Amino acid sequence: MVIPTTLEGVWQRLPAIAGLDSPRLWTTAIKAVLSALLGLILLTLLVGVAAVGLELRELGTVGVDAVLQRVLIGVLMLLAMVEVFRTTLAYLTEGRVKVTFIVDTILVVMLTEILSLWLKGGAGATFTLLLFVIGVLSSVRILAIRFSPSSNPDVRREPE
């Protein structure tokens, strides 16, 4: 081991001296954080399911339409959380995130927003803009599948 003679040399070598330049250390840290995030998402899903279930108790006191609208939006938001869970799990297991997973998550959230806006009788311009964004995202998803390296035998992936 070379001993640095200046303070600047110590500062530059500090990560190596402390063992913080190990890729294995950072990979382990990322996996620990993502595992905690998965646990938090799972807890959020369980609380969300309970909250949607509690919404159904109001069927007798509030109008059925209002309760079912809130339940529908709640269920769609839970599906968006499932997509986030799936994306995080894919990164944890595969070490990368597919574009289709990200686009799927955004599509579910955007569809929830459109449905919510439609049920509340929102502005037509906002509705049109959201539909345009969904059209663009759908096109991106189709292109991501069409030109995916895993589905195209002409494209070789570098070994990791």
Side-chain angles (χ1 to χ4, degrees), residues 46-65:
L46 292 173
V47 171
V49 168
V52 168
L54 290 175
E55 288 280 342
L56 292 174
R57 290 187 334 177
E58 297 181 11
L59 277 174
T61 59
V62 183
V64 173
D65 289 347

Side-chain angles (χ1 to χ4, degrees), residues 3 6 10 28 32 43 46 48 52 58 69 75 109 111 122 135 137 142 150 152:
I3 300 174
T6 65
V10 171
T28 304
L43 180 64
L46 292 173
V52 168
E58 297 181 11
Q69 286 176 4
V75 168
V109 171
L111 287 170
L137 287 171
I142 291 168
S150 61
N152 191 348

Side-chain angles (χ1 to χ4, degrees), residues 8 28-30 42 45 50 66 77 80 96 106 109-110 119 126 132:
E8 182 178 314
T28 304
I30 287 172
L42 191 58
L45 283 170
M77 286 308 291
R96 65 187 184 102
I106 296 170
V109 171
M110 295 298 289
L119 292 174
T126 306
F132 175 75

